[in-house]
Amino acid sequence: MPKDRIFILAVESSCDDTSAAVFENENKLSNVTATQKVHEAYGGVVPELASRAHQQHIVPVIHEALRQANVKMSQLDAVAFTKGPGLMGSLLVGNAFMKSLALSLDIPLIGVNHMQGHILAHFIKDEVQQKAPSFPFLGITISGGHTQIVKVNSHFDMQIIGETLDDAIGEAFDKCGKMFGLNYPAGPEIDQLAKSGNPLKYQFAKPQVKGLDFSFSGLKTSVLYFLQKKLKEDSDFIKHNLQDLCASFQHTAVQILLDKIKKASQLTGIKTIAIGGGVSANSGIREALQSQSKQHNWEVFTPSFEYCTDNAAMIAIVAYFKYRENQFSDLSITAKARLKLTDN
Ligand code: KG4
Ligand code: ZN
């Protein structure tokens, strides 16, 4: 008889955060993340430093996740890890560690697609997050590496209907933030500074891309040329106008995103919109979606902040759905730096 209480330990190590989570079915018992500060000085993630930091963090992070969940290794029914996409060296740490753990505990191993994690994070249950979107819904994945509109028909039936042709939206936040003199990742700081700025002070280019695809490199170039011109007139231009610059940039990025979400909803007739990925923490995007929801009769789902940026809870929820369908990985599974959303 299948067990009705399944305990899963999951690890996420695709980029620069080492995270471990323990779940009982779809319920989060713990979700512990160690953020790597070492990259700040370089203005971006340094892959070799990231994999070394994962090696240092993985054991204490797993111990802490088990401790907070009050679950022993011997109670685990399966272990899961992010198989891709991401940085190869970082992925390999989670991959090798969890393979060894599965082997030594003699329990199933489950490799999880990171992108599916961002979309299915809405199904995580905890004290706050109780209601999940119903199918079909539009999953909007907005992160440092991706910008996708996905038609989600079921847990494992997903179809990309729009995506970026160049930079991801998070990349635009980070690169423009760098031009404004902010540290990496600049998204959260732009969000904060934008709150006291005027979103309509400066106009930046909005690219005209056909269909549901996006482009964010034009916005970045437009900010760059604008700053070059203004800095010639006043070398302290950024310092004097930082809030307005952040607010105007964020406003444009949100408008680009919103236009495509509206279009996707019109074309598919789907009114359930679920955002995910690091940039879904952005307050400008959350407010814009909430105000549009009334006008368009949308039901908008925004995950709790801890499930927006990379985290192991989103890997654990996908692993739980895979466990229920006996979708296990064998020990020959390899890390994949590139992985399509539809690769299970
Ligand atoms: O999902 P994530 O943690 O990692 C990837 O898979 O890429 O996303 C990280 C991205 C970074 O670009 C970061 O600047 C952005 O999410 N981000 C934000 C905010 N919080 C994180 N961007 C805008 N506003 C925020 N509040
Ligand atoms: Zn991510």
Side-chain angles (χ1 to χ4, degrees), residues 8-14 19-21 58 62 78-85 90-102 108-114 311-312 314-320 322 328-336 339 344:
I8 294 179
L9 165 70
V11 157
E12 148 64 33
S13 71
S14 65
S19 184
I58 195 162
I62 287 178
V79 290
F81 66 97
T82 305
K83 67 175 174 188
S90 295
L91 290 167
L92 278 171
V93 177
N95 176 304
F97 196 94
M98 297 313 257
K99 267 188 199 172
S100 319
L101 206 53
L109 175 71
I110 304 172
V112 171
N113 184 321
H114 181 92
N311 66 89
M314 69 184 199
I315 304 304
I317 191 73
V318 182
Y320 171 65
K322 287 188 140 187
F328 300 123
S329 312
D330 64 44
L331 290 172
S332 63
I333 185 172
T334 50
K336 293 246 166 64
L339 196 64
N344 274 326

Side-chain angles (χ1 to χ4, degrees), residues 14-15 17 114 118 142-146 170-171 173-174 184-188 191 250 277-279 281-283 308-310:
S14 65
C15 190
D17 288 329
H114 181 92
H118 276 306
I142 40 178
S143 72
H146 292 84
E171 221 175 323
F173 270 87
D174 296 336
Y184 174 88
D191 191 355
Q250 181 170 297
V279 184
N282 185 268
S283 54
C308 289
T309 43
D310 292 347

Side-chain angles (χ1 to χ4, degrees), residues 285-318:
I285 292 175
R286 287 173 174 238
E287 279 158 26
L289 278 173
Q290 284 311 331
S291 72
Q292 292 286 324
S293 71
K294 293 185 195 87
Q295 201 179 328
H296 300 285
N297 211 8
W298 288 344
E299 192 179 9
V300 174
F301 288 82
T302 44
S304 299
F305 285 115
E306 70 168 305
Y307 311 134
C308 289
T309 43
D310 292 347
N311 66 89
M314 69 184 199
I315 304 304
I317 191 73
V318 182

Side-chain angles (χ1 to χ4, degrees), residues 174-326:
D174 296 336
K175 287 178 177 168
C176 290
K178 196 173 176 183
M179 293 181 217
F180 301 154
L182 307 177
N183 284 334
Y184 174 88
E189 210 177 341
I190 291 183
D191 191 355
Q192 273 315 109
L193 290 162
K195 285 181 184 151
S196 39
N198 176 359
L200 304 176
K201 176 106 179 255
Y202 308 116
Q203 261 78 51
F204 299 121
K206 275 208 279 170
Q208 299 305 316
V209 182
K210 277 201 212 122
L212 297 177
D213 288 334
F214 299 92
S215 165
F216 284 97
S217 73
L219 170 58
K220 178 188 67 188
T221 314
S222 159
V223 172
L224 175 70
Y225 289 162
F226 175 80
L227 287 180
Q228 282 174 344
K229 188 168 152 263
K230 290 291 181 185
L231 285 169
K232 270 189 205 146
E233 295 159 15
D234 169 12
S235 58
D236 280 336
F237 178 78
I238 295 176
K239 207 166 106 196
H240 294 148
N241 299 284
L242 188 57
Q243 278 96 339
D244 291 338
L245 281 168
C246 288
S248 300
F249 159 78
Q250 181 170 297
H251 176 74
T252 314
V254 172
Q255 288 309 312
I256 296 173
L257 187 71
L258 214 56
D259 282 352
K260 297 292 176 163
I261 297 177
K262 277 188 216 161
K263 210 170 189 177
S265 173
Q266 271 163 9
L267 285 171
T268 59
I270 298 173
K271 290 182 176 289
T272 307
I273 319 275
I275 57 170
V279 184
S280 62
N282 185 268
S283 54
I285 292 175
R286 287 173 174 238
E287 279 158 26
L289 278 173
Q290 284 311 331
S291 72
Q292 292 286 324
S293 71
K294 293 185 195 87
Q295 201 179 328
H296 300 285
N297 211 8
W298 288 344
E299 192 179 9
V300 174
F301 288 82
T302 44
S304 299
F305 285 115
E306 70 168 305
Y307 311 134
C308 289
T309 43
D310 292 347
N311 66 89
M314 69 184 199
I315 304 304
I317 191 73
V318 182
Y320 171 65
F321 293 135
K322 287 188 140 187
Y323 187 99
R324 284 200 322 205
E325 294 190 11
N326 289 320

